[in-house]
Amino acid sequence: MQKSTEIGTGIIALLVLSAPVVYVIWCPPSKEFWDSVASGLLSTAVALIAGIPVALWIDRAIKNREEKKTKIEERKRESELLELIKEELNFTNSSHETRNGVTDSLPIQPLKSDLWGAITTAGKLNLISNHKLLNRITSAYYVINVVKNIEEQAYRASRGETVSFSGGKTATQVLIEDARQFDTLLSDSISEALREIDEELSKSA
């Protein structure tokens, strides 16, 4: 059934296409008709030749404008994200300064890295186009989380059973001293990350 339909459609199409040819053979048009047809074809050809480049130019212009708009929007989102990261790093750096080198007390407020965790979980790291900057920020948060985890262990140890090590130090004291060994690296990592964030944001200013 389908094959018969296709054959029928082909025959109809052939008849429609051959009708003008049969008409011209049986009733030859006048010279004026051919002149008119030739003039029309020439006009159509000229219009196509002139119109195609113009249409392509317009299409390219529209695409370039859309690409530029997309890049501006992406850059805006990247800048907004970097501003948030900068704010968190500054807050964390201020918290760190209060405990830098202090080994005789236990910090109660943990170092802040919640925003970075949320950004990573949400898959927003691709918004940062500068891979060198992304690596610098990631390195800073790596050190932050190392110190944060050690201090959390120290807090849990302070609330648990007291265990003394050689020299009479408790587990809490040993863990605090371990955390403080990262003080210089943490300060340098945050400072370098903040510096490179400021450099990247200045490009958008």
Side-chain angles (χ1 to χ4, degrees):
M1 181 66 180
Q2 183 178 359
K3 189 173 182 180
S4 300
T5 304
E6 291 177 354
I7 293 173
T9 304
I11 293 173
I12 293 172
L14 182 61
L15 290 173
V16 171
L17 292 174
S18 61
V21 178
V22 172
Y23 176 80
V24 169
I25 293 173
W26 283 96
C27 303
S30 64
K31 183 176 180 298
E32 289 78 10
F33 172 80
W34 289 114
D35 291 342
S36 176
V37 170
S39 176
L41 290 175
L42 181 61
S43 300
T44 302
V46 171
L48 287 174
I49 293 172
I52 290 175
V54 173
L56 291 174
W57 178 82
I58 293 173
D59 182 63
R60 282 196 301 269
I62 292 173
K63 287 182 178 178
N64 288 336
R65 185 174 62 185
E66 290 176 349
E67 288 176 0
K68 188 177 293 185
K69 181 180 178 181
T70 300
K71 288 181 179 179
I72 291 173
E73 291 175 351
E74 288 176 350
R75 185 61 180 171
K76 181 182 178 181
R77 288 197 296 270
E78 180 184 21
S79 297
E80 290 173 348
L81 182 63
L82 290 176
E83 288 286 1
L84 291 174
I85 293 173
K86 177 182 176 182
E87 182 179 339
E88 181 171 71
L89 285 177
N90 276 320
F91 182 86
T92 301
N93 196 40
S94 297
S95 297
H96 171 61
E97 288 175 353
T98 62
R99 68 189 78 189
N100 193 346
V102 179
T103 58
D104 57 355
S105 64
L106 175 64
I108 301 301
Q109 183 182 33
L111 297 176
K112 190 175 185 303
S113 60
D114 307 84
L115 173 66
W116 179 251
I119 292 170
T120 305
T121 302
K124 299 294 184 180
L125 295 182
N126 61 325
L127 291 176
I128 303 176
S129 58
N130 188 329
H131 292 171
K132 181 183 175 184
L133 172 60
L134 178 59
N135 180 62
R136 183 68 66 186
I137 296 171
T138 303
S139 298
Y141 274 104
Y142 170 77
V143 183
I144 290 171
N145 285 326
V146 167
V147 174
K148 183 178 180 179
N149 289 335
I150 295 174
E151 290 181 349
E152 286 176 352
Q153 292 179 45
Y155 182 81
R156 286 196 294 270
S158 70
R159 295 296 184 269
E161 188 174 334
T162 302
V163 178
S164 297
F165 294 88
S166 58
K169 294 181 180 179
T170 64
T172 301
Q173 290 171 327
V174 172
L175 287 167
I176 292 174
E177 290 176 1
D178 288 344
R180 297 290 70 81
Q181 292 181 23
F182 291 92
D183 282 343
T184 300
L185 178 60
L186 181 55
S187 296
D188 292 345
S189 298
I190 293 177
S191 296
E192 193 63 24
L194 288 171
R195 183 185 65 79
E196 293 197 17
I197 288 174
D198 284 336
E199 287 181 359
E200 190 67 25
L201 289 173
S202 67
K203 297 177 184 178
S204 304

